[in-house]
Amino acid sequence: MKRTLLKTIALGSLLTCSAAVMADSSDYKLMVIEAQTAPQPLEQSFNNCALNVKSKNYAQAEAICTKAIALLKDADAPRFKVRQLTSFALSNRGVARLKANNETAGLADLYEAKSMSNSTMVSHNLTRAKEELSL
């Protein structure tokens, strides 16, 4: 009973979680989850992905973003919120892949992220990538 209540509270907090942005307007935008607004494993994976991109640890960032995406697939939360957060995680992974010179995979992530969420941050990253790659 206690575990179910804690799970309900943790997943309910996913409803209220919001994303912050780590970047200026001329660079890619990395999304993070504000502290203590999502279950800890998701928050850690999501935010560590962005931090590793900022630290130029692109291979590690890609692996951590992939873990965050997997955690979101199993999240028991409203579909719209899961889609939005998955979109943000895909965008972060796309940036990591672009920075690691894996342009095809990076663009694929950004296009998938854009198809999942009409976020201005995701749109910015896709536009930025297309400009950078002269597409």
Side-chain angles (χ1 to χ4, degrees):
M1 173 79 172
K2 184 176 180 181
R3 182 177 174 157
T4 304
L5 178 61
L6 289 175
K7 183 178 178 185
T8 302
I9 292 169
L11 292 174
S13 68
L14 188 61
L15 283 170
T16 59
C17 104
S18 59
V21 179
M22 297 174 51
D24 63 37
S25 63
S26 65
D27 202 4
Y28 292 104
K29 296 181 184 293
L30 299 169
M31 281 64 80
V32 296
I33 297 175
E34 292 179 352
Q36 299 176 347
T37 58
Q40 188 174 11
L42 175 59
E43 181 184 324
Q44 283 180 331
S45 292
F46 205 99
N47 294 348
N48 284 341
C49 170
L51 290 173
N52 274 281
V53 173
K54 289 296 269 186
S55 300
K56 300 181 182 181
N57 298 323
Y58 304 125
Q60 189 170 0
E62 180 179 349
I64 294 169
C65 288
T66 300
K67 180 180 178 185
I69 293 164
L71 287 170
L72 283 161
K73 285 181 182 176
D74 294 332
D76 184 23
R79 286 185 54 196
F80 78 92
K81 193 51 133 175
V82 171
R83 285 181 63 81
Q84 180 185 44
L85 291 175
T86 301
S87 173
F88 291 164
L90 282 163
S91 181
N92 286 353
R93 186 174 73 180
V95 171
R97 288 175 164 177
L98 288 166
K99 295 287 191 175
N101 296 317
N102 188 351
E103 292 89 1
T104 303
L107 280 173
D109 279 348
L110 291 173
Y111 275 109
E112 184 178 355
K114 176 70 173 133
S115 74
M116 295 182 85
S117 171
N118 196 22
S119 161
T120 57
M121 294 176 285
V122 172
S123 294
H124 169 84
N125 285 346
L126 179 58
T127 300
R128 174 84 171 86
K130 290 186 327 189
E131 289 172 356
E132 187 175 279
L133 299 172
S134 300
L135 299 177

